[in-house]
Each structure stands twice: as C-alpha cells, then as structure tokens.
C-alpha cells in the first residue's frame, strides 16, 4: 500500500516536471557574438563543426553544429542579427537572409549584470 502511494506521488511529480519543462521553449532575436570552428574532420566527422555564441534572456548560450552536416560559416556573420529558438538542449538559428541551422546547446552561463 505504502509502496503504491509512493510510486503514484513520484509519477505525478515526474509528469509535473515534464509539463513545466516542455513549456521552456525560448524564441527571439539576438546578436551572434562568436563563431569558432570545433574539432577536426576525419572519416567519422566529414564536415567541420562550429560553436556559435549568443545572448538570450539573461544567459549566454554556446551551441555546436553537427559534424555530419555541412555548414557554411560565411553565412553566419559575427555581429549580425539572428533569430533563435531554444527547446531544452537543442537550438535553431536563422539569419535575416533566411539561412538556417540546427545545433546542440553545449554551454549556458548567466550574463553579467550591466
């Protein structure tokens, strides 16, 4: 009896955490702070991966592109405006010229107070 009640409480807590986490999608404009190459290419990593940095809602995000997909770094100019969409640890970046890429969030830090 006690075990069933504990299991039910844990299940409800997990559902509540999942519902609040699913609402954590962030969207908005930002300025691309930095774009740096990451790693090297080889047989398993056919394309160069890149780390992109931008500030959003009081945090500084760094996201990494997939080394299995080609990315043209010249389409993402540092200092230009981008639109971002962050969903958990994945991000979608879109430039004003309608160039898009998907990346994985690898670092989040609080932005320093002005």
């Amino acid at each position: 009896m006690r075990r069933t009640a504990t299991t039910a409480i844990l299940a409800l807590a997990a559902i509540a955490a999942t519902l609040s986490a699913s609402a954590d999608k962030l969207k908005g404009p930002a300025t691309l702070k930095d774009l740096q190459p990451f790693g090297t290419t080889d047989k398993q990593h056919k394309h160069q991966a890149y780390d992109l940095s931008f500030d959003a809602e009081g945090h500084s995000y760094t996201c990494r592109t997939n080394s299995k997909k080609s990315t043209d770094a010249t389409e993402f100019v540092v200092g230009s405006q981008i639109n971002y969409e962050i969903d958990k640890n994945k991000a979608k970046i879109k430039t004003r010229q309608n160039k898009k890429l998907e990346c994985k969030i690898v670092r989040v830090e609080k932005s320093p107070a002005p």
Side-chain angles (χ1 to χ4, degrees), residues 20-81:
S20 65
S22 66
D24 289 346
K25 197 179 261 194
L26 301 175
K27 292 182 181 182
T31 301
L32 185 61
K33 289 190 335 182
D34 197 14
L35 182 128
Q36 293 288 325
F38 174 80
T40 58
T41 58
D42 57 24
K43 287 184 180 183
Q44 293 177 344
H45 307 97
K46 302 242 183 231
H47 303 284
Q48 179 68 55
Y50 293 93
D51 284 351
L52 293 91
S53 299
F54 60 94
D55 290 334
E57 302 203 12
H59 291 86
S60 182
Y61 291 90
T62 302
C63 68
R64 184 166 296 151
T65 62
N66 188 345
S67 62
K68 295 180 181 177
K69 295 182 179 179
S70 177
T71 302
D72 186 358
T74 61
E75 294 175 344
F76 299 89
V77 179
V78 173
S80 65
Q81 285 294 110

